[in-house]
Amino acid sequence: MDHFLYRDGALFAEDVAVADIAAEVGTPFYVYSTATLLRHFRLFDAALEGMDHLVCYAMKANSNQAVLRTLAQAGAGMDVVSGGEYQRARAAGVPGERIVFSGVGKTQAEIRTALEGGIRQFNVESEPEMAVLDATARALGKVAPITIRVNPDVDAKTHAKIATGKSENKFGIPIARAREVYRMAAAMPGLEVVGIDVHIGSQLTDLEPYALAYGKVAELTEALRADGHVIRRLDLGGGLGIPYERSNADPPLPSDYGALVKRTLGHLGCEIEIEPGRLIAGNAGLMVSEVIYVKSGEGRDFLILDGAMNDLIRPAMYDAWHDIIPVVEPAAGVERAPIDVVGPVCESGDTFARQRMMPPLLAGDLVAFRSAGAYGAVMSSEYNSRPLIPEVLVHGDQFAVIRRRPTFDEMINRDTIPEWL
Ligand SMILES: *Cc1c(COP(=O)(O)O)cnc(C)c1O
């Protein structure tokens, strides 16, 4: 559910007409709904009620300061995967004790920043990382709280680029080696083992892989406790999928997921952390774009938009589907026809949808890409020297630009010309 609905034939974001935002900020742009962000956060929070827990928003999905502040004020922690994300979380007002640090390639500088600034835990992904973390903590006179990310060798049944829990993926330590690695960690004075971490992938549309993975984590918890480790916290990752295609999707609900967590892990008495990103931000955002031309090709028509793959790369990168809807509601019963929806970038990959059934549209009309709040703006670039598009946050009947469009001068002046030229 989200807060992007038609009212009297016009698409609204909460109580603001999307066309009014377009008139003020120009197209293309992203628009996010505060109510939808909070609703999704609270669904997860409620799903884990009765268990000691913290929902750590995976901020790589959408790391705008205003989005982070909105969620932090509602009580969210943050899952960060870089020093930059750590700094962004702190700048948005998130205290270190609510930040967990994930990622396979944490540098010594990033580790030091987090140790000095305060951190809830590091999710350690390899033995070399563990050694660096130990040495860095000791050099600072600190003890780093850690979980070890285990790779449970479970098929998440998702797109290959976002599956992370198979043994061939680069993530975590093979679960079969976990007891040995925990023994090594316990012998390092710069580390304090607090729990176990697992994250098997993104856009999971079936709970079965979670059930398999969490069953293995439950067994491992008991084994590690028998070995003498204090396992008091389980970080269960993120990855719950969202319905990108409304007409043809039925992904699991956070409440079903919460029930699964209780069933598989509830008896262990651990504090639970989860790291949802996409499910919190995905359906809380639209990308709005204007039709530049409608072009008739040989047996194929093209809807050419002012938005492109550099603004929203998911279709090109992951073959992702986004529902595309007109900002002016089509009349009931209007005839739809297949059309390729494309951007202006000079690559055939700059195609948002092929042979999509769309109502008739004309140059100047606005369309909205649904489910664009996660892995949209954060993955955008200035390819083709197209400025990063603005982000707008709606709150009831108010809206604010939360990242403005840069000017061409700002873009050009980021480059410097060496003195020999
Ligand atoms: C990407 C990621 C997440 C969030 O995944 P979503 O599919 O957006 O929920 C959580 N944890 C880790 C470690 C990640 O890398």
Side-chain angles (χ1 to χ4, degrees):
M1 213 221 97
D2 61 43
H3 290 76
F4 301 110
L5 299 169
Y6 289 114
R7 282 189 201 167
D8 297 327
L11 185 64
F12 272 67
E14 300 191 19
D15 299 323
V16 180
V18 168
D20 289 349
I21 303 174
E24 189 157 323
V25 308
T27 55
F29 63 91
Y30 281 102
V31 55
Y32 311 129
S33 153
T34 300
T36 312
L37 287 167
L38 291 176
R39 179 187 139 80
H40 292 157
F41 168 71
R42 289 181 179 134
L43 282 177
F44 276 111
D45 208 29
L48 296 177
E49 212 179 277
M51 304 178 88
D52 189 10
H53 70 271
L54 183 66
V55 178
C56 293
Y57 168 60
M59 60 179 275
K60 73 174 190 278
N62 184 325
S63 57
N64 187 288
Q65 287 288 291
V67 170
L68 300 186
R69 180 77 61 99
T70 299
L71 293 167
Q73 284 182 353
M78 299 288 154
D79 172 61
V80 308
V81 292
S82 71
E85 285 198 348
Y86 180 85
Q87 302 284 12
R88 274 187 175 272
R90 294 305 308 270
V94 184
E97 67 262 23
R98 281 204 270 144
I99 301 177
V100 303
F101 202 147
S102 302
V104 292
K106 303 176 196 78
T107 66
Q108 218 175 86
E110 289 175 320
I111 288 170
R112 200 175 307 119
T113 301
L115 280 170
E116 284 172 345
I119 191 83
R120 181 181 182 82
Q121 97 224 3
F122 292 90
N123 293 333
V124 171
E125 300 233 13
S126 67
E127 290 155 72
E129 179 196 340
M130 203 162 81
V132 167
L133 187 53
D134 174 53
T136 312
R138 282 189 287 116
L140 292 171
K142 296 193 182 267
V143 175
I146 65 157
T147 70
I148 293 175
R149 179 169 177 179
V150 294
N151 186 326
D153 195 20
V154 162
D155 183 355
K157 298 183 189 133
T158 184
H159 191 283
K161 282 186 188 158
I162 50 177
T164 59
K166 284 287 283 173
S167 55
E168 72 252 31
N169 300 132
K170 68 182 176 183
F171 300 97
I173 282 167
I175 198 160
R177 291 209 55 229
R179 288 174 77 175
E180 189 188 335
V181 179
Y182 272 88
R183 190 170 44 71
M184 292 162 57
M188 294 182 170
L191 306 181
E192 182 204 358
V193 170
V194 299
I196 304 173
D197 173 45
V198 68
H199 169 72
I200 56 174
S202 200
Q203 186 57 15
L204 272 72
T205 51
D206 181 0
L207 289 179
E208 190 55 31
Y210 284 119
L212 286 172
Y214 295 171
K216 293 187 182 193
V217 168
E219 272 174 35
L220 180 62
T221 303
E222 312 233 14
L224 291 175
R225 283 177 171 171
D227 290 346
H229 301 285
V230 177
I231 303 296
R232 57 185 165 83
R233 189 181 286 167
L234 299 177
D235 183 331
L236 303 177
L240 212 55
I242 63 171
Y244 280 102
E245 192 172 353
R246 299 297 161 100
S247 55
N248 169 29
D250 192 16
L253 301 170
S255 54
D256 298 336
Y257 172 79
L260 171 88
V261 170
K262 286 178 194 168
R263 193 172 71 242
T264 52
L265 299 162
H267 60 288
L268 297 166
C270 287
E271 179 188 6
I272 300 294
E273 283 165 3
I274 55 169
E275 304 166 347
R278 188 188 311 272
L279 207 144
I280 289 180
N283 282 332
L286 305 176
M287 184 181 81
V288 180
S289 188
E290 185 177 308
V291 177
I292 309 178
Y293 298 112
V294 183
K295 173 177 167 177
S296 297
E298 204 140 309
R300 206 173 255 259
D301 293 340
F302 297 92
L303 197 61
I304 303 174
L305 305 180
D306 62 358
M309 64 188 289
N310 68 296
D311 306 312
L312 177 66
I313 203 171
R314 297 192 66 262
M317 180 119 160
Y318 309 113
D319 310 306
W321 174 289
H322 285 268
D323 281 347
I324 305 168
I325 60 171
V327 167
V328 174
E329 188 174 22
V334 74
E335 204 165 321
R336 286 161 200 269
I339 193 161
D340 282 14
V341 184
V342 304
V345 163
C346 306
E347 297 199 15
S348 295
D350 187 21
T351 297
F352 290 117
R354 288 175 217 283
Q355 297 297 284
R356 181 71 61 92
M357 297 301 289
M358 296 289 292
L361 287 160
L362 300 171
D365 287 345
L366 298 175
V367 295
F369 288 74
R370 286 186 160 282
S371 312
Y375 307 108
V378 285
M379 295 183 86
S380 59
S381 76
E382 289 180 347
Y383 187 39
N384 277 214
S385 285
R386 296 167 44 85
L388 290 182
I389 68 176
E391 296 173 275
V392 172
L393 183 65
V394 169
H395 180 229
D397 60 4
Q398 309 173 65
F399 73 93
V401 175
I402 57 173
R403 183 180 74 189
R404 67 175 177 78
R405 198 187 310 273
T407 65
F408 290 122
D409 276 347
E410 284 170 321
M411 288 166 60
I412 294 163
N413 291 334
R414 255 186 258 129
D415 301 354
T416 49
I417 294 179
E419 61 187 29
W420 65 80
L421 289 176

